[in-house]
Amino acid sequence: IEEKLTSIEADPIVDDRIPFWQGLSLTCDSIIAFADRYAEEATRLVAETLAPTRKAELEQIAKICRRVPREPAASFREALQCTWFLTVIAHIFQSGGGITLGRLDQILLPYFRADIKAQAITILEAQELLDCLWLKLQELNVARSSEIVTAWAGYEVNPTVNLGGQTNSGCDATNELTYMCLLAEQHIHMRNPQLILRIHDDTPHQLWHAAIETMKAGGGKPSLISDKVCMLALTRLGVPEDELLDYRVIGCAEPTTGDSRMMIRWSWLCLPKVLELTLNNGVDLRTGKQVGPRTGDVHKFMHFQQLLDAFDRQVEYQVELITETINQIADPLVAEMMPHLPLSLITPHCIETGRDLTQGGADRTWSVIWPIAPATTANSLAAIEHQIYHNRVTTWDELLAAIAQDFEGHDVLRHRLLRSPKFGNDDDAADKLAQHVVRSVYNAVERRTNNFGGPFTTGFITLGANVHYGHYVGATPDGRRDGRPLSDGMSPSQGTEHEGPTATLKSVAKLDLSHAGSGGILNLKFNPVLLLEETDIQKFIHLNETYLNDLGGLQVQYNVISTEILREAQAHPEAYQDLLVRVVGYCARFVDLSPDVQEDIIARTEHSLH
């Protein structure tokens, strides 16, 4: 930074790179001062402490905080402290969530092995320090508006730790710290951090067993991510081959490049609302306003394909609105009002170009549209095709009247709609329509670019927005009632998959998830008793290996908990204060969730391996 400031001879009023570099320099000083305050406090406590052991700990803390992040870490303790400082600083500036600690088992490994070899630390001491980091991560929080909290239920902040995967040479990357991080999760077992386990063809069975032991503790950790599909998705976004193997996941399930040379902006697209507009010629029934294009009166659609074509045009229009909003309003406002100097400081090319991360300083950017509830939408289309066009037992007048009246007085029709084909059962009648829905989004999104010349991509991540947005969507043709939750992520609609987990995974894998450059979330629920016997554990491992390595599955995560326990926790929350559940791409205490979100989790199908 100093070299840039001394080598550029320009008027700072004319050249806005100079204030940026000056801001970065001030940020460096601020980060050092931030750490120094901890060193000063530890030193103050030394004088007040009589216990020799604690006094020695405080002296060591003061020494470490004076060194990092001012200087490079030189030990395992220093590396952990530096990681924590930078995580806190990123959260302070961003005032939000989804900050990743990266591939922690790879980043910390050289420090750990060097300290063990030099006998500067024992394995038990290193495990205790990791456990302490897990505890510190619980302190991260952010104040949000009441509306946002309904979409991001359960104090979602979601710092991510990535484990496993492959080395840059393509070998399995599992090491001692991989297992120690899973142990830290078992020891602490709280909402943070989000654990990502990268899966590939050579993931060791020992690691599978360690991951399953962690899952059995409850809380839906770790989330399983396919190396193969993530790297295909990143390749579509222009990531070069030499960076792919070191990718990591941020936030819920979003893969990103290893050296963090990018910036993401995102928005949601509520697909059942798009279908509602399609059925009403672009009119929003709740407001009576024309908010979509006039794509035709469905009564005049003689063929089902005409309905699909109209839906595609509505998707195209809404995607255009979203991309224009991001490019013309959101990005310029963020660049002007919310620069991110700490991340710009450690993002390649920002210093070189003299541009903040939010202003295109990174050499790679992409923007994201997350479609909400493809399963609800596909099921609705399947019901229409099945009841109106194939069986011809329902008319458009009957269906639209029933939807408008939230099925009151239309019980027979609703029963027929509920019995129509449903996504998640390996039934092509519904799955082909899910493929059409997501392909429609892929086509509309991928031909657009953002302000910095980067691509738009998609992903299937809803946080808790499937519950929140459900309040704004009327009854749907799949039999769902007005205001009820929509399907989450790329999961089937709640309680509609009846053919077992194998069928569910096969349905999801049909969605060509290599286009999901921003990842996706598939939630499944298992009863804990199904993972007690070794034969069942082996079935579970083979199920996931086939899905993630062979079928093209992108991601899956499990709530290993019974519906009975969840109902008990609803009735007696005081007895279940430590009950952790997977909401979507993050975890939360069950008792912290609103009744709507609790019911959404309970309504998920409880799968069996038999």
Side-chain angles (χ1 to χ4, degrees):
I1 293 166
E2 289 172 352
E3 289 174 0
K4 288 290 185 182
L5 287 170
T6 56
S7 64
I8 299 295
E9 295 181 2
D11 185 341
I13 297 177
V14 176
D15 192 340
D16 61 1
R17 294 177 301 169
I18 293 176
F20 171 70
W21 286 320
Q22 291 171 336
L24 286 185
S25 181
L26 183 60
T27 299
C28 291
D29 294 338
S30 301
I31 291 172
I32 292 169
F34 181 74
D36 282 346
R37 290 203 297 274
Y38 284 86
E40 291 163 6
E41 176 64 8
T43 300
R44 186 188 69 80
L45 291 172
V46 168
E48 299 178 0
T49 303
L50 299 178
T53 301
R54 181 56 179 161
K55 186 183 287 284
E57 288 176 346
L58 289 167
E59 289 171 345
Q60 184 181 45
I61 289 170
K63 181 180 178 181
I64 290 173
C65 292
R66 287 193 184 95
R67 177 174 172 82
V68 294
R70 183 195 305 265
E71 301 289 344
S75 70
F76 184 69
R77 283 181 171 89
E78 290 181 2
L80 273 176
Q81 184 63 57
C82 189
T83 297
W84 172 244
F85 272 147
L86 293 178
T87 300
V88 172
I89 289 163
H91 273 275
I92 289 171
F93 268 77
Q94 180 173 302
S95 186
I99 297 292
T100 182
L101 281 70
R103 301 182 68 188
L104 202 62
D105 57 345
Q106 311 303 312
I107 294 168
L108 298 178
L109 186 63
Y111 305 96
F112 171 77
R113 286 182 173 171
D115 278 7
I116 292 292
K117 184 176 181 180
Q119 298 184 340
I121 196 171
T122 67
I123 291 177
L124 287 178
E125 288 171 335
Q127 183 67 61
E128 182 182 15
L129 289 172
L130 281 173
D131 291 0
C132 288
L133 176 64
W134 256 240
L135 280 171
K136 294 296 290 182
L137 287 167
Q138 310 316 311
E139 297 177 9
L140 299 175
N141 210 337
V142 62
R144 304 187 193 274
S145 70
S146 59
E147 185 177 40
I148 291 177
V149 166
T150 62
W152 294 355
Y155 301 100
E156 183 276 330
V157 178
N158 216 26
T160 58
V161 168
N162 288 244
L163 302 174
Q166 300 172 75
T167 66
N168 285 331
S169 60
C171 299
D172 176 59
T174 307
N175 60 58
E176 308 95 289
L177 289 178
T178 312
Y179 295 101
M180 291 172 69
C181 286
L182 289 173
L183 273 178
E185 177 59 36
Q186 293 174 34
H187 293 164
I188 305 304
H189 189 56
M190 297 178 77
R191 59 188 176 89
N192 291 333
Q194 151 84 319
L195 279 188
I196 304 293
L197 184 60
R198 287 179 41 179
I199 300 299
H200 59 99
D201 289 336
D202 297 320
T203 296
H205 268 230
Q206 182 184 352
L207 181 57
W208 274 109
H209 277 80
I212 290 169
E213 284 303 308
T214 307
M215 291 179 192
K216 285 160 66 174
K221 303 182 192 180
S223 173
L224 307 177
I225 302 284
S226 167
D227 272 5
K228 189 175 296 182
V229 179
C230 278
M231 290 192 287
L232 281 172
L234 289 171
T235 299
R236 288 185 182 275
L237 293 173
V239 176
E241 186 176 354
D242 60 353
E243 293 181 31
L244 292 174
L245 286 166
D246 195 37
Y247 84 90
R248 71 281 320 273
V249 169
I250 63 173
C252 298
E254 303 97 297
T256 183
T257 52
D259 57 6
S260 300
R261 286 159 42 168
M262 44 72 67
M263 179 69 181
I264 297 175
R265 187 83 62 240
W266 58 267
S267 178
W268 279 309
L269 169 64
C270 186
L271 290 173
K273 192 68 177 181
V274 174
L275 179 59
E276 183 182 294
L277 296 178
T278 306
L279 298 181
N280 295 282
N281 207 7
V283 174
D284 181 357
L285 291 185
R286 288 179 179 263
T287 65
K289 294 181 179 179
Q290 186 80 37
V291 298
R294 290 178 172 83
T295 48
D297 180 352
V298 293
H299 296 84
K300 299 178 180 178
F301 291 169
M302 302 304 296
H303 305 287
F304 182 64
Q305 184 61 46
Q306 292 175 279
L307 177 65
L308 294 181
D309 292 343
F311 174 79
D312 292 346
R313 291 197 296 275
Q314 292 287 350
V315 168
E316 176 73 26
Y317 179 80
Q318 299 300 331
V319 166
E320 183 178 4
L321 283 182
I322 292 172
T323 55
E324 287 183 355
T325 301
I326 290 175
N327 286 343
Q328 296 180 22
I329 300 174
D331 276 351
L333 279 175
V334 169
E336 179 183 351
M337 303 178 69
M338 299 176 63
H340 206 314
L341 293 174
L343 285 187
S344 296
L345 190 65
I346 58 174
T347 298
H349 296 275
C350 287
I351 294 175
E352 290 81 355
T353 60
R355 292 285 179 267
D356 186 80
L357 189 67
T358 64
Q359 298 167 347
D363 74 336
R364 185 175 300 121
T365 71
W366 54 76
S367 300
V368 179
I369 294 177
W370 286 339
I372 292 177
T376 300
T377 310
N379 291 347
S380 296
L381 288 169
I384 292 171
E385 182 179 36
H386 195 65
Q387 298 297 329
I388 294 181
Y389 290 96
H390 280 182
N391 295 345
R392 299 183 183 276
V393 294
T394 303
T395 67
W396 275 115
D397 283 336
E398 291 170 336
L399 178 62
L400 294 178
I403 290 173
Q405 296 163 29
D406 195 22
F407 297 112
E408 292 296 330
H410 299 273
D411 293 341
V412 173
L413 172 57
R414 182 168 184 257
H415 182 68
R416 289 204 301 265
L417 296 172
L418 290 170
R419 289 174 57 85
S420 297
K422 296 289 187 286
F423 174 74
N425 296 290
D426 193 25
D427 180 349
D428 280 339
D431 294 353
K432 69 175 183 179
L433 291 169
Q435 289 174 294
H436 181 96
V437 167
V438 299
R439 194 181 306 116
S440 180
V441 177
Y442 295 156
N443 291 340
V445 169
E446 290 176 357
R447 58 171 166 264
R448 290 173 165 81
T449 57
N450 61 27
N451 285 335
F452 310 116
F456 271 84
T457 186
T458 191
F460 301 95
I461 297 173
T462 57
L463 301 174
N466 64 303
V467 177
H468 176 67
Y469 276 82
H471 296 309
Y472 300 95
V473 178
T476 44
D478 60 342
R480 170 192 153 276
R481 288 192 178 276
D482 186 347
R484 300 301 300 156
L486 307 168
S487 60
D488 71 84
M490 49 191 181
S491 306
S493 290
Q494 299 83 338
T496 59
E497 72 273 42
H498 306 296
E499 300 301 319
T502 301
T504 297
L505 294 176
K506 288 174 71 177
S507 287
V508 175
K510 296 175 186 178
L511 300 181
D512 194 2
L513 296 166
S514 67
H515 288 268
S518 189
I521 296 295
L522 169 59
N523 281 302
L524 294 180
K525 186 167 69 176
F526 272 65
N527 192 299
V529 300
L530 300 177
L531 293 177
L532 295 179
E533 301 296 332
E534 182 60 28
T535 53
D536 287 334
I537 289 174
Q538 289 301 321
K539 290 179 184 178
F540 184 76
I541 292 172
H542 293 152
L543 178 77
N544 287 284
E545 284 180 327
T546 302
Y547 169 66
L548 295 167
N549 294 333
D550 302 328
L551 293 182
L554 171 62
Q555 182 271 359
V556 63
Q557 55 200 23
Y558 295 91
N559 266 318
V560 183
I561 192 167
S562 70
T563 301
E564 181 183 1
I565 290 295
L566 294 176
R567 286 296 184 199
E568 277 290 312
Q570 274 189 321
H572 305 286
E574 71 284 352
Y576 292 90
Q577 292 294 300
D578 62 345
L579 179 60
L580 199 67
V581 294
R582 169 71 67 171
V583 183
V584 275
Y586 62 93
C587 302
R589 292 196 313 157
F590 187 73
V591 297
D592 287 336
L593 301 173
S594 68
D596 281 351
V597 177
Q598 289 180 346
E599 287 296 329
D600 182 52
I601 293 170
I602 290 171
R604 296 171 187 170
T605 298
E606 189 174 303
H607 283 288
S608 167
L609 287 168
H610 303 289

